[in-house]
Amino acid sequence: MEEKIIKQISLFAENKPGRLAHIAENFRKAGINIRAFTIAEAGDFGIIRMVVDKPDAAHEVLHDAGFTVSETSVMGVEMEDVPGGLGKIADVLGEQNINIDYAYAFVTKTEKALLILRVNDIEGAIKVLHSAGVKLIDMADIQEI
Amino acid sequence: MIEYWNPLVERMPVDELDKMQERKLKSLVDYVYQHSEFYKKKFDAAGVKPGDIQSMDDLKKLPFTYKSDLRDTYPTGMFCVPNEQLVRFHVSSGTTGKPTVVGYTRNDINEWATSLARALTSIGVGRGDVIQISYGYGLFTGGLGLHYGAEEVGCTVLPTSSGNTEKQLDLMQDLKSSVMACTPSYFLFMNEVANKAGISIENDTQLRVGIFGAEPWSEEMRSRIEEATGIKAYDVYGTSELSGPLCTECQYQDGIHIWADQFLIEVIDPETGEQLTEGERGELVITTLAKEALPLIRYRIGDITVINKQPCKCGRTHPRIMRVLGRADDMLIVRGINVFPGQVESVLMTIPEVGEHFMIVVDRVNELDIMKIQIEMTDEAFSDKVNDIISLEKKVAAALKNVLNLAVKVELVEKGTIPRSMGKAKKVMDNRKL
């Protein structure tokens, strides 16, 4: 079950020009590839969330560059890229009273949709999704995307 | 360990101290009247003759001296001795106007060193200690002032001056510094640099005492520093006009002992100039009782504090000034409410999620003052949920509002963006065009 937990990199950034470029430049130098990415913006600041191929290295690079950065445990859910795919997952979690803190999705090369989820009970979520036959991806899958 | 540098003076009964002060005040007034054209004119204009000063009650007949007097008589118009009797000049930075010049006779330098020797002894610093002095040397009084005091008590002095922080940390480890003297903000910066380099001040150095001053800092900041670095942090007081750093707290960390044989202190209402009684908060006024080159009579130093004459557990009988909240001229008036940067610091430092550095930004938008506090959060406090961050901003704003009675906008900024300082930290940006 443990291996189904994905380490997401989260960082705090002020909402001003050049911040994203600075992050990207650090990743380019360190050879880190971003697999999924989102910015939650809230006025003066934003929280950038990323799934990358080498999370530990990414954490170190950003920390050394002076950012406030953390690793957060999230899940990667593989969905059929068809209508109703998301609804099934939301239903399963809702029935078990598991709350979704946030989510973002993207489509992979293999015509699947990948949903990144942060929930209030990750162990519980993995268990119920697994029993419902939902495929969860792991860090190895992330590296292959 | 030696407990007192000069037990006879430091433990002198209060009534004897009072008599000594009275005697010294009378001769001081005679001295300045005879030796300084400036004071003669000033006293004459106020209608006071030296003979009018017979007891301590007559002190209030003497006119105040202001920083502007030092500026107006630049460079040495207030001095009581000819230049050939001076052994040193110090000059203020002049950041808030024309610089002020202070001169010292040999005896003035000795008195200065004595004052600090007593202070250092009172915090257990002396022979066997390596004191790293990271206050600026040169025209600024911090470096050389502590230097002479530390040599007097037999410390080994490491005169690093400020700046070049990596080297400071190397030397601190290699030469086993046990005492650090610098501004509290520089020490915090030093600790940040140390942590980044994987050095723990607590575990990897011999540092046990910090002597911090030259800028106001709070009790809460003291707790932060002591917890983060495992040292005991002491407040030091002085200003360039008086000499430089002069006095510190004793080991009990409960106010700074001001040596009554050298200085006569009063606290006044900054508006009316009336003397306040012990325990009332007001502006500190100092008369130097032992200086030869540039004695100051009822000098309006501008710091806001409280005098405490209650017996101290250390046995010293000299009065104490309680933690300086700020300078009368550092006080911000925002929407008619008085705000000291020190109050803001006190509040912020009680909130564990908030880092050590902050900036107060005041703007005027449509005739309304807007006060914004920029803070950095600690790494541990970071949550990647937007709501958690907004709650933190709200929590800090509510805590500030509670103390300042003023609505404040709190803005989280990225780590490292608030300027770090090697000397006095600038904590206010007042953008109002008044």
Side-chain angles (χ1 to χ4, degrees):
Chain A
M1 200 166 80
E2 280 289 303
E3 74 278 0
K4 296 297 179 194
I5 293 178
I6 291 173
K7 286 183 192 164
Q8 172 195 260
I9 298 298
S10 309
L11 74 90
F12 178 85
E14 279 175 67
N15 192 359
K16 59 186 187 192
R19 301 316 291 149
L20 202 52
H22 185 47
I23 295 161
E25 174 62 10
N26 276 294
F27 277 4
R28 190 186 60 76
K29 278 194 219 146
I32 292 162
N33 230 323
I34 300 174
R35 299 304 192 201
F37 176 95
T38 179
I39 301 177
E41 72 94 26
D44 298 330
F45 69 89
I47 293 172
I48 298 175
R49 302 172 185 137
M50 294 172 282
V51 174
V52 300
D53 56 349
K54 287 177 271 185
D56 292 341
H59 184 275
E60 195 181 327
V61 162
L62 293 174
H63 184 266
D64 291 350
F67 283 100
T68 300
V69 53
S70 70
E71 284 185 350
T72 313
S73 297
V74 295
M75 289 181 302
V77 180
E78 194 178 280
M79 300 184 292
E80 292 302 321
D81 191 8
V82 293
L86 176 63
K88 182 182 171 190
I89 292 156
D91 278 346
V92 170
L93 293 174
E95 277 161 22
Q96 295 298 316
N97 218 13
I98 293 170
N99 190 53
I100 299 173
D101 291 328
Y102 56 75
Y104 51 107
F106 60 104
V107 180
T108 67
K109 279 180 263 181
T110 54
E111 312 269 312
K112 301 264 184 189
L114 187 61
L115 178 68
I116 305 290
L117 278 177
R118 179 170 169 178
V119 293
N120 62 345
D121 171 13
I122 192 164
E123 313 250 314
I126 290 171
K127 209 176 287 170
V128 295
L129 289 174
H130 184 71
S131 343
V134 174
K135 186 178 180 226
L136 292 171
I137 61 154
D138 54 32
M139 278 314 293
D141 300 321
I142 290 286
Q143 272 148 19
E144 279 161 26
I145 292 171
Chain B
M1 194 175 78
I2 309 173
E3 277 187 76
Y4 302 98
W5 183 249
N6 185 340
L8 277 180
V9 175
E10 290 168 58
R11 307 187 60 164
M12 187 180 281
V14 174
D15 54 340
E16 281 180 45
L17 274 181
D18 289 347
K19 271 182 232 152
M20 181 196 269
Q21 284 198 317
E22 204 167 83
R23 201 177 65 238
K24 285 194 170 194
L25 177 67
K26 279 197 271 187
S27 60
L28 173 74
V29 173
D30 282 334
Y31 174 77
V32 299
Y33 196 79
Q34 283 173 34
H35 291 86
S36 160
E37 200 55 33
F38 166 84
Y39 277 116
K40 183 172 186 303
K41 268 192 212 157
K42 198 166 180 111
F43 289 3
D44 286 347
V48 195
K49 293 276 173 259
D52 298 338
I53 309 303
Q54 288 304 317
S55 75
M56 211 46 102
D57 289 338
D58 298 325
L59 177 64
K60 47 183 178 286
K61 293 179 184 164
L62 293 167
F64 292 118
T65 312
Y66 297 87
K67 187 158 191 154
S68 55
D69 292 325
L70 283 161
R71 290 190 183 131
D72 295 345
T73 59
Y74 178 90
T76 58
M78 277 174 66
F79 285 33
C80 291
V81 299
N83 281 6
E84 55 268 28
Q85 284 185 33
L86 301 176
V87 298
R88 199 192 303 161
F89 285 123
H90 276 287
V91 183
S92 76
S93 56
T95 41
T96 54
K98 205 168 182 179
T100 53
V101 176
V102 177
Y104 306 80
T105 63
R106 165 61 53 203
N107 196 46
D108 289 340
I109 297 282
N110 292 345
E111 288 281 334
W112 187 5
T114 298
S115 175
L116 277 166
R118 291 183 198 164
L120 292 172
T121 306
S122 80
I123 54 172
V125 169
R127 186 168 296 278
D129 275 310
V130 175
I131 178 168
Q132 184 163 341
I133 299 181
S134 307
Y135 284 113
Y137 274 67
L139 290 176
F140 177 60
T141 50
L144 281 164
L146 264 165
H147 186 107
Y148 278 72
E151 284 193 351
E152 183 79 11
V153 292
C155 289
T156 308
V157 178
L158 178 57
T160 43
S161 197
S162 61
N164 208 346
T165 309
E166 280 84 3
K167 186 169 182 192
Q168 299 250 9
L169 286 163
D170 287 345
L171 291 173
M172 187 191 289
Q173 294 178 90
D174 297 343
L175 297 175
K176 302 186 168 41
S177 302
S178 55
V179 182
M180 167 58 66
C182 60
T183 60
S185 40
Y186 186 45
F187 186 64
L188 285 168
F189 176 68
M190 215 178 247
N191 188 42
E192 260 181 23
V193 175
N195 289 343
K196 260 191 202 151
I199 301 164
S200 150
I201 287 192
E202 178 155 23
N203 302 320
D204 303 331
T205 78
Q206 307 283 315
L207 214 60
R208 60 179 188 86
V209 168
I211 300 169
F212 302 126
E215 66 185 17
W217 56 301
S218 61
E219 206 50 45
E220 291 75 15
M221 180 69 93
R222 183 197 326 257
S223 312
R224 287 262 181 137
I225 289 174
E226 292 189 341
E227 276 163 31
T229 63
I231 67 165
K232 286 274 267 179
Y234 296 98
D235 199 5
V236 58
Y237 187 74
T239 73
S240 60
E241 303 95 293
L242 291 177
S243 276
L246 277 168
C247 298
T248 67
E249 303 169 302
C250 65
Q251 69 201 93
Y252 293 101
Q253 296 180 317
D254 187 24
I256 292 166
H257 287 279
I258 305 287
W259 311 119
D261 55 321
Q262 296 181 324
F263 303 97
L264 172 57
I265 54 176
E266 305 164 72
V267 161
I268 61 161
D269 179 329
E271 302 291 324
T272 64
E274 292 293 311
Q275 277 183 354
L276 299 175
T277 55
E278 184 195 343
E280 284 187 290
R281 177 187 287 173
E283 181 182 347
L284 185 64
V285 172
I286 296 195
T287 300
T288 63
L289 296 174
K291 283 184 79 176
E292 294 174 341
L294 180 58
L296 294 169
I297 307 278
R298 301 195 83 197
Y299 184 67
R300 297 278 295 257
I301 208 146
D303 289 321
I304 302 291
T305 187
V306 170
I307 292 180
N308 179 0
K309 294 184 177 171
Q310 300 310 308
C312 181
K313 275 185 268 182
C314 72
R316 289 173 182 80
T317 48
H318 297 241
R320 285 169 283 163
I321 54 168
M322 304 320 279
R323 189 172 276 289
V324 171
L325 189 63
R327 293 180 55 80
D329 51 10
D330 278 346
M331 189 179 77
L332 282 164
I333 302 177
V334 182
R335 296 191 207 174
I337 293 172
N338 299 343
V339 178
F340 287 102
Q343 286 175 294
V344 173
E345 182 185 294
S346 293
V347 174
L348 294 179
M349 293 306 119
T350 55
I351 302 172
E353 294 93 331
V354 177
E356 276 82 22
H357 304 274
F358 68 94
M359 179 72 80
I360 300 171
V361 185
V362 191
D363 285 291
R364 182 159 285 179
V365 183
N366 301 330
E367 298 304 306
L368 192 65
D369 294 334
I370 307 283
M371 186 160 118
K372 183 166 77 178
I373 314 279
Q374 293 181 325
I375 55 170
E376 296 173 12
M377 73 187 133
T378 58
D379 278 347
E380 300 74 40
F382 174 55
S383 150
D384 78 337
K385 290 196 264 177
V386 173
N387 274 344
D388 291 346
I389 307 263
I390 291 173
S391 308
L392 173 59
E393 288 183 342
K394 282 187 181 154
K395 173 178 164 182
V396 176
L400 286 166
K401 173 142 200 247
N402 203 14
V403 171
L404 306 177
N405 204 14
L406 188 71
V408 197
K409 181 175 165 29
V410 171
E411 185 180 297
L412 262 173
V413 297
E414 277 171 39
K415 196 167 64 181
T417 50
I418 291 168
R420 273 40 171 173
S421 157
M422 310 253 178
K424 298 186 189 198
K426 186 171 157 43
K427 291 175 175 166
V428 178
M429 261 170 60
D430 194 340
N431 302 323
R432 291 174 295 185
K433 307 266 183 291
L434 299 178

